[in-house]
Amino acid sequence: MADAERIRASAAALSATPWPNWFFATLTLYLAALPVAYGGVVADEDWLLPRPAWTGIMVAITALYVALLAVAAKAWREKTGVALRLDVLPKRATRPLAVGLPVVLVGAAFAFRFTGWPGWLFAASLIGAAASVGFHLAFVRLHRASA
């Protein structure tokens, strides 16, 4: 029984391990770029680039992000034997983020469309990047506490 508890604690520590740094940087850059690209897609008229260019950028960065997510998850499972999970973090932090961050990232684009002020997009970019950094640091702290 003592071994079972030790194995369970070890699996929990591995599950709480933060994403690899290269993927953390990828996620942060994606969350920072998403509002600006989406703002260009939904803009009332062409903003800095033609709308089809913004659409292409949006599709390209999303496809790249999804591909890198798959690579990071597969490599991590092979390295540790466990999947990276958000459920090891407190629900009081993850639930508001799961609802609030998409609202901020998408809502900023619509606020930009209706007001024409690009500050909405850059504020959402900063919020997205800060959320990524905050969650990465929370995983690092949780991993250190459980190791």
Side-chain angles (χ1 to χ4, degrees), residues 100-138:
L101 191 58
V103 168
V104 168
L105 296 177
V106 173
F110 287 104
F112 168 64
R113 178 185 171 95
F114 295 120
T115 65
W117 186 59
W120 293 108
L121 304 175
F122 299 114
S125 290
L126 289 174
I127 291 168
S132 176
V133 170
F135 266 72
H136 181 74
L137 293 176

Short mmCIF file of all heavy atoms in Angstrom, two decimals, residues 100-138:
data_model
loop_
_atom_site.label_atom_id
_atom_site.label_comp_id
_atom_site.label_asym_id
_atom_site.label_seq_id
_atom_site.Cartn_x
_atom_site.Cartn_y
_atom_site.Cartn_z
N GLY A 100 -13.31 33.39 -19.09
CA GLY A 100 -12.93 34.79 -19.26
C GLY A 100 -11.95 35.07 -20.37
O GLY A 100 -12.09 36.05 -21.10
N LEU A 101 -10.94 34.21 -20.54
CA LEU A 101 -9.93 34.48 -21.56
C LEU A 101 -10.51 34.47 -22.97
O LEU A 101 -10.24 35.40 -23.73
CB LEU A 101 -8.75 33.52 -21.43
CG LEU A 101 -7.52 33.88 -22.25
CD1 LEU A 101 -7.00 35.28 -21.90
CD2 LEU A 101 -6.43 32.85 -22.04
N PRO A 102 -11.33 33.50 -23.35
CA PRO A 102 -11.93 33.58 -24.70
C PRO A 102 -12.80 34.82 -24.88
O PRO A 102 -12.81 35.42 -25.96
CB PRO A 102 -12.77 32.30 -24.80
CG PRO A 102 -12.13 31.36 -23.84
CD PRO A 102 -11.61 32.21 -22.72
N VAL A 103 -13.51 35.21 -23.84
CA VAL A 103 -14.34 36.41 -23.93
C VAL A 103 -13.46 37.63 -24.18
O VAL A 103 -13.78 38.48 -25.03
CB VAL A 103 -15.20 36.59 -22.65
CG1 VAL A 103 -15.84 37.96 -22.60
CG2 VAL A 103 -16.25 35.50 -22.56
N VAL A 104 -12.35 37.73 -23.48
CA VAL A 104 -11.44 38.87 -23.65
C VAL A 104 -10.81 38.85 -25.05
O VAL A 104 -10.80 39.87 -25.74
CB VAL A 104 -10.34 38.87 -22.56
CG1 VAL A 104 -9.24 39.86 -22.89
CG2 VAL A 104 -10.95 39.18 -21.20
N LEU A 105 -10.31 37.67 -25.46
CA LEU A 105 -9.61 37.59 -26.74
C LEU A 105 -10.54 37.86 -27.93
O LEU A 105 -10.17 38.58 -28.86
CB LEU A 105 -8.95 36.22 -26.90
CG LEU A 105 -7.85 35.89 -25.88
CD1 LEU A 105 -7.33 34.49 -26.10
CD2 LEU A 105 -6.72 36.89 -25.91
N VAL A 106 -11.74 37.31 -27.90
CA VAL A 106 -12.69 37.52 -28.99
C VAL A 106 -13.43 38.84 -28.83
O VAL A 106 -13.66 39.56 -29.80
CB VAL A 106 -13.68 36.33 -29.07
CG1 VAL A 106 -14.77 36.58 -30.08
CG2 VAL A 106 -12.92 35.05 -29.42
N GLY A 107 -13.77 39.17 -27.61
CA GLY A 107 -14.51 40.41 -27.35
C GLY A 107 -13.72 41.64 -27.74
O GLY A 107 -14.29 42.64 -28.21
N ALA A 108 -12.41 41.60 -27.59
CA ALA A 108 -11.58 42.74 -27.97
C ALA A 108 -11.68 43.02 -29.46
O ALA A 108 -11.70 44.19 -29.87
CB ALA A 108 -10.13 42.49 -27.58
N ALA A 109 -11.76 41.97 -30.25
CA ALA A 109 -11.88 42.15 -31.70
C ALA A 109 -13.20 42.84 -32.05
O ALA A 109 -13.23 43.73 -32.91
CB ALA A 109 -11.77 40.81 -32.42
N PHE A 110 -14.26 42.45 -31.38
CA PHE A 110 -15.55 43.08 -31.66
C PHE A 110 -15.60 44.51 -31.12
O PHE A 110 -16.18 45.40 -31.75
CB PHE A 110 -16.70 42.23 -31.13
CG PHE A 110 -16.91 41.00 -31.96
CD1 PHE A 110 -16.48 39.77 -31.53
CD2 PHE A 110 -17.50 41.10 -33.21
CE1 PHE A 110 -16.65 38.64 -32.31
CE2 PHE A 110 -17.68 39.98 -34.01
CZ PHE A 110 -17.24 38.74 -33.57
N ALA A 111 -14.96 44.73 -29.97
CA ALA A 111 -14.88 46.10 -29.46
C ALA A 111 -14.10 46.98 -30.44
O ALA A 111 -14.47 48.13 -30.70
CB ALA A 111 -14.21 46.11 -28.09
N PHE A 112 -13.04 46.44 -31.02
CA PHE A 112 -12.26 47.16 -32.03
C PHE A 112 -13.13 47.46 -33.25
O PHE A 112 -13.10 48.56 -33.79
CB PHE A 112 -11.03 46.35 -32.42
CG PHE A 112 -10.33 46.87 -33.65
CD1 PHE A 112 -9.73 48.12 -33.65
CD2 PHE A 112 -10.25 46.10 -34.79
CE1 PHE A 112 -9.08 48.59 -34.79
CE2 PHE A 112 -9.61 46.56 -35.93
CZ PHE A 112 -9.01 47.81 -35.93
N ARG A 113 -13.90 46.48 -33.68
CA ARG A 113 -14.75 46.67 -34.87
C ARG A 113 -15.74 47.81 -34.66
O ARG A 113 -15.96 48.63 -35.54
CB ARG A 113 -15.50 45.38 -35.20
CG ARG A 113 -16.43 45.55 -36.39
CD ARG A 113 -17.25 44.29 -36.63
NE ARG A 113 -18.28 44.54 -37.61
CZ ARG A 113 -18.17 44.27 -38.90
NH1 ARG A 113 -17.04 43.78 -39.37
NH2 ARG A 113 -19.16 44.51 -39.73
N PHE A 114 -16.32 47.87 -33.46
CA PHE A 114 -17.35 48.88 -33.22
C PHE A 114 -16.80 50.25 -32.84
O PHE A 114 -17.44 51.26 -33.08
CB PHE A 114 -18.34 48.39 -32.16
CG PHE A 114 -19.11 47.18 -32.63
CD1 PHE A 114 -19.03 45.99 -31.94
CD2 PHE A 114 -19.90 47.23 -33.77
CE1 PHE A 114 -19.74 44.87 -32.38
CE2 PHE A 114 -20.60 46.13 -34.22
CZ PHE A 114 -20.52 44.94 -33.52
N THR A 115 -15.60 50.30 -32.26
CA THR A 115 -15.03 51.59 -31.85
C THR A 115 -13.93 52.08 -32.77
O THR A 115 -13.65 53.28 -32.80
CB THR A 115 -14.45 51.50 -30.42
OG1 THR A 115 -13.34 50.61 -30.42
CG2 THR A 115 -15.51 51.06 -29.42
N GLY A 116 -13.26 51.14 -33.47
CA GLY A 116 -12.14 51.52 -34.32
C GLY A 116 -10.85 51.78 -33.55
O GLY A 116 -9.84 52.15 -34.14
N TRP A 117 -10.86 51.58 -32.24
CA TRP A 117 -9.69 51.84 -31.42
C TRP A 117 -8.88 50.55 -31.23
O TRP A 117 -9.35 49.61 -30.59
CB TRP A 117 -10.12 52.40 -30.07
CG TRP A 117 -8.97 52.82 -29.21
CD1 TRP A 117 -8.01 53.74 -29.49
CD2 TRP A 117 -8.67 52.32 -27.91
NE1 TRP A 117 -7.13 53.85 -28.46
CE2 TRP A 117 -7.52 52.98 -27.47
CE3 TRP A 117 -9.25 51.38 -27.08
CZ2 TRP A 117 -6.94 52.73 -26.24
CZ3 TRP A 117 -8.67 51.13 -25.85
CH2 TRP A 117 -7.52 51.81 -25.44
N PRO A 118 -7.66 50.46 -31.77
CA PRO A 118 -6.88 49.23 -31.68
C PRO A 118 -6.35 48.92 -30.28
O PRO A 118 -5.85 47.83 -30.04
CB PRO A 118 -5.73 49.44 -32.67
CG PRO A 118 -5.62 50.91 -32.83
CD PRO A 118 -6.99 51.47 -32.59
N GLY A 119 -6.48 49.84 -29.37
CA GLY A 119 -6.05 49.60 -27.99
C GLY A 119 -6.72 48.38 -27.38
O GLY A 119 -6.12 47.68 -26.55
N TRP A 120 -7.96 48.10 -27.80
CA TRP A 120 -8.65 46.89 -27.30
C TRP A 120 -7.85 45.64 -27.65
O TRP A 120 -7.73 44.72 -26.83
CB TRP A 120 -10.04 46.77 -27.93
CG TRP A 120 -11.01 47.83 -27.54
CD1 TRP A 120 -11.47 48.85 -28.31
CD2 TRP A 120 -11.67 47.96 -26.28
NE1 TRP A 120 -12.36 49.61 -27.61
CE2 TRP A 120 -12.50 49.08 -26.35
CE3 TRP A 120 -11.62 47.23 -25.08
CZ2 TRP A 120 -13.29 49.50 -25.30
CZ3 TRP A 120 -12.41 47.64 -24.03
CH2 TRP A 120 -13.23 48.78 -24.14
N LEU A 121 -7.33 45.60 -28.86
CA LEU A 121 -6.60 44.42 -29.32
C LEU A 121 -5.29 44.24 -28.55
O LEU A 121 -4.94 43.13 -28.15
CB LEU A 121 -6.31 44.53 -30.82
CG LEU A 121 -7.51 44.74 -31.73
CD1 LEU A 121 -7.07 44.97 -33.16
CD2 LEU A 121 -8.47 43.57 -31.61
N PHE A 122 -4.59 45.35 -28.34
CA PHE A 122 -3.31 45.26 -27.65
C PHE A 122 -3.49 44.96 -26.16
O PHE A 122 -2.69 44.24 -25.57
CB PHE A 122 -2.48 46.52 -27.90
CG PHE A 122 -2.19 46.70 -29.37
CD1 PHE A 122 -2.73 47.75 -30.08
CD2 PHE A 122 -1.42 45.77 -30.05
CE1 PHE A 122 -2.50 47.89 -31.44
CE2 PHE A 122 -1.17 45.90 -31.41
CZ PHE A 122 -1.71 46.96 -32.11
N ALA A 123 -4.57 45.48 -25.58
CA ALA A 123 -4.87 45.14 -24.18
C ALA A 123 -5.18 43.65 -24.05
O ALA A 123 -4.70 42.99 -23.13
CB ALA A 123 -6.04 45.99 -23.68
N ALA A 124 -5.98 43.13 -24.98
CA ALA A 124 -6.29 41.69 -24.94
C ALA A 124 -5.04 40.85 -25.17
O ALA A 124 -4.87 39.80 -24.55
CB ALA A 124 -7.34 41.37 -26.00
N SER A 125 -4.14 41.31 -26.02
CA SER A 125 -2.87 40.61 -26.23
C SER A 125 -2.06 40.54 -24.93
O SER A 125 -1.53 39.48 -24.59
CB SER A 125 -2.03 41.31 -27.30
OG SER A 125 -2.60 41.16 -28.55
N LEU A 126 -1.99 41.65 -24.24
CA LEU A 126 -1.26 41.67 -22.96
C LEU A 126 -1.92 40.76 -21.93
O LEU A 126 -1.24 40.05 -21.19
CB LEU A 126 -1.15 43.10 -22.43
CG LEU A 126 -0.22 44.02 -23.21
CD1 LEU A 126 -0.31 45.44 -22.68
CD2 LEU A 126 1.21 43.51 -23.12
N ILE A 127 -3.24 40.79 -21.87
CA ILE A 127 -3.97 39.93 -20.92
C ILE A 127 -3.73 38.46 -21.25
O ILE A 127 -3.49 37.64 -20.35
CB ILE A 127 -5.47 40.28 -20.91
CG1 ILE A 127 -5.68 41.65 -20.28
CG2 ILE A 127 -6.28 39.21 -20.17
CD1 ILE A 127 -7.08 42.22 -20.46
N GLY A 128 -3.79 38.09 -22.53
CA GLY A 128 -3.56 36.70 -22.93
C GLY A 128 -2.15 36.25 -22.58
O GLY A 128 -1.95 35.15 -22.04
N ALA A 129 -1.16 37.08 -22.88
CA ALA A 129 0.23 36.73 -22.56
C ALA A 129 0.42 36.63 -21.05
O ALA A 129 1.08 35.71 -20.56
CB ALA A 129 1.18 37.75 -23.16
N ALA A 130 -0.17 37.55 -20.30
CA ALA A 130 -0.05 37.51 -18.83
C ALA A 130 -0.71 36.26 -18.26
O ALA A 130 -0.18 35.65 -17.32
CB ALA A 130 -0.68 38.77 -18.22
N ALA A 131 -1.84 35.85 -18.81
CA ALA A 131 -2.50 34.63 -18.34
C ALA A 131 -1.62 33.41 -18.61
O ALA A 131 -1.50 32.52 -17.77
CB ALA A 131 -3.86 34.47 -19.02
N SER A 132 -0.98 33.36 -19.77
CA SER A 132 -0.09 32.25 -20.10
C SER A 132 1.09 32.20 -19.12
O SER A 132 1.41 31.14 -18.58
CB SER A 132 0.42 32.40 -21.53
OG SER A 132 1.34 31.39 -21.84
N VAL A 133 1.70 33.33 -18.89
CA VAL A 133 2.84 33.39 -17.95
C VAL A 133 2.38 33.01 -16.55
O VAL A 133 3.04 32.23 -15.86
CB VAL A 133 3.49 34.79 -17.97
CG1 VAL A 133 4.50 34.94 -16.84
CG2 VAL A 133 4.15 35.05 -19.32
N GLY A 134 1.23 33.53 -16.13
CA GLY A 134 0.72 33.22 -14.79
C GLY A 134 0.46 31.74 -14.58
O GLY A 134 0.83 31.17 -13.55
N PHE A 135 -0.16 31.10 -15.56
CA PHE A 135 -0.42 29.67 -15.43
C PHE A 135 0.86 28.85 -15.50
O PHE A 135 0.99 27.86 -14.79
CB PHE A 135 -1.44 29.21 -16.47
CG PHE A 135 -2.83 29.21 -15.93
CD1 PHE A 135 -3.49 30.40 -15.69
CD2 PHE A 135 -3.47 28.04 -15.60
CE1 PHE A 135 -4.76 30.43 -15.15
CE2 PHE A 135 -4.74 28.04 -15.06
CZ PHE A 135 -5.40 29.23 -14.84
N HIS A 136 1.80 29.27 -16.31
CA HIS A 136 3.08 28.56 -16.34
C HIS A 136 3.76 28.66 -14.97
O HIS A 136 4.26 27.65 -14.45
CB HIS A 136 3.97 29.14 -17.43
CG HIS A 136 5.29 28.44 -17.53
ND1 HIS A 136 5.41 27.19 -18.08
CD2 HIS A 136 6.54 28.82 -17.16
CE1 HIS A 136 6.69 26.82 -18.03
NE2 HIS A 136 7.39 27.80 -17.48
N LEU A 137 3.77 29.84 -14.40
CA LEU A 137 4.39 30.00 -13.08
C LEU A 137 3.65 29.21 -12.01
O LEU A 137 4.27 28.67 -11.08
CB LEU A 137 4.46 31.48 -12.72
CG LEU A 137 5.41 32.32 -13.59
CD1 LEU A 137 5.33 33.79 -13.20
CD2 LEU A 137 6.83 31.79 -13.52
N ALA A 138 2.31 29.13 -12.12
CA ALA A 138 1.53 28.33 -11.17
C ALA A 138 1.91 26.85 -11.28
O ALA A 138 2.05 26.16 -10.27
CB ALA A 138 0.04 28.53 -11.40
#
